[in-house]
Amino acid sequence: RGMGPGCTRVPLSTSPFIAMLALLASGSTALTVGVAPSTARSTRAVSQPAMSSSDRCAVWVVGCGVPKRGMGWYHAKQVIEGDVPNAAVTAVVEPWFLGAGADSPPGKAFAEWAEAMEEKGVAFCDSVDAVPVAEGERTLALISGRTAD
């Protein structure tokens, strides 16, 4: 129902931000918002076609923040866990926790999370200039920071 070619489905509970990111990342022309089929727990459980590198949108999270507290971290988590079809976090840019804030308690929590994410192929950089750029890859920079910044 309503799922023709070029249409991306996201669950009804999806935030408007994630719905928009799903649409951008998928290259779809339409977005269907609804609940997952009753046989699936969430849309993550619904099988997705294999993603070719040309279908994928690389996501750079700029200003990630503290794991389990920062909005940048939360959006990275959503993409990494598959809430955005055809998107993949390829880089996190975090100048504070990869610099002067590295030895702080939140910096240590960030380092633990970064180590786990590096195993999944996510690059961690202290500046946008340091992010490895793949030629011809669609890329979206998700910029997240505190209001005071």
Side-chain angles (χ1 to χ4, degrees):
R1 290 190 277 161
M3 290 295 296
C7 187
T8 298
R9 182 185 187 100
V10 296
L12 186 60
S13 62
T14 301
S15 72
F17 168 78
I18 293 299
M20 180 178 58
L21 186 57
L23 182 62
L24 290 171
S26 69
S28 297
T29 56
L31 185 68
T32 299
V33 179
V35 295
S38 60
T39 58
R41 287 187 178 162
S42 73
T43 55
R44 280 183 248 160
V46 176
S47 69
Q48 296 282 334
M51 189 176 13
S52 75
S53 60
S54 64
D55 292 337
R56 183 180 84 156
C57 179
V59 177
W60 300 352
V61 179
V62 181
C64 183
V66 181
K68 298 183 181 177
R69 288 182 23 206
M71 283 310 298
W73 171 85
Y74 186 71
H75 291 317
K77 176 184 179 292
Q78 289 173 310
V79 174
I80 290 166
E81 289 181 350
D83 288 351
V84 183
N86 294 359
V89 174
T90 59
V92 171
V93 178
E94 182 49 68
W96 177 248
F97 292 126
L98 293 173
D103 291 330
S104 67
K108 291 177 182 173
F110 178 84
E112 287 177 23
W113 178 73
E115 185 177 334
M117 294 305 102
E118 284 176 332
E119 293 173 7
K120 296 182 179 209
V122 179
F124 284 79
C125 307
D126 62 358
S127 73
V128 172
D129 290 336
V131 175
V133 178
E135 187 68 32
E137 184 173 55
R138 294 184 313 163
T139 303
L140 173 82
L142 188 160
I143 302 170
S144 180
R146 297 177 313 154
T147 305
D149 294 341

